[in-house]
């Protein structure tokens, strides 16, 4: 740990922290959510945490370009894009593009329920 600093969590602004915490919980298979309704943390293995902060004037990023470009996104590793595609949609994601590369070594872009882009990626 450099200079006594470590990452506490990655925080997403959103209009509904509960909805987004539950979405990522379903997607990642994590079930521990703590905090207040305006700031919730989703706890994963090995101390990994995603947090969701209420932002009343939140506007989702425009992807792939536009007036509100994405500032950050998650890359989530999967063994097979085709196998995870339908489950990801069933969790509440929206596909934003086509598979890039092959389903064995590519990526696919989605939006979560608040509109934040994220990618499923393979090696």
């Amino acid at each position: 740990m450099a200079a006594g600093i470590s990452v506490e969590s990655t925080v997403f602004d959103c209009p509904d922290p509960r909805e987004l915490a539950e979405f990522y919980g379903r997607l990642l298979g994590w079930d521990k959510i703590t905090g207040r309704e305006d700031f919730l943390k989703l706890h994963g293995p090995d101390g990994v945490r995603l947090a969701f902060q209420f932002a009343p004037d939140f506007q989702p990023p425009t992807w792939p370009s536009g007036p509100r470009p994405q500032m950050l996104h998650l890359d989530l590793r999967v063994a097979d894009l085709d196998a995870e595609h339908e489950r990801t949609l069933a969790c509440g994601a929206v596909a934003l593009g086509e598979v890039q590369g092959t389903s064995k070594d590519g990526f696919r872009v989605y939006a979560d329920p608040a509109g934040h882009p994220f990618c499923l990626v393979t090696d």
Side-chain angles (χ1 to χ4, degrees):
M1 186 172 5
I5 297 174
S6 64
V7 175
E8 163 61 25
S9 56
T10 300
V11 182
F12 292 81
D13 287 349
C14 60
D16 187 339
R18 173 71 52 191
E19 176 187 42
L20 214 50
E22 290 176 353
F23 164 78
Y24 280 104
R26 287 189 304 275
L27 185 66
L28 298 169
W30 303 352
D31 59 6
K32 183 179 179 186
I33 297 172
T34 62
R36 326 176 294 273
E37 287 305 307
D38 63 341
F39 190 89
L40 294 171
K41 289 183 184 177
L42 176 64
H43 300 260
D46 301 322
V48 175
R49 287 181 288 279
L50 298 178
F52 308 94
Q53 175 175 273
F54 176 65
D57 298 324
F58 175 78
Q59 294 291 312
T62 51
W63 184 91
S65 61
R68 292 180 311 279
Q70 72 175 352
M71 303 298 278
L72 164 85
H73 73 274
L74 297 177
D75 281 348
L76 305 173
R77 183 179 310 280
V78 298
D80 188 307
L81 287 173
D82 296 331
E84 289 298 323
H85 174 74
E86 292 301 323
R87 193 182 74 77
T88 299
L89 296 177
C91 286
V94 174
L96 294 180
E98 299 299 318
V99 172
Q100 304 295 314
T102 70
S103 64
K104 298 294 182 194
D105 67 348
F107 66 94
R108 184 173 279 183
V109 182
Y110 298 86
D112 67 24
H116 301 101
F118 69 92
C119 296
L120 296 184
V121 300
T122 58
D123 289 330

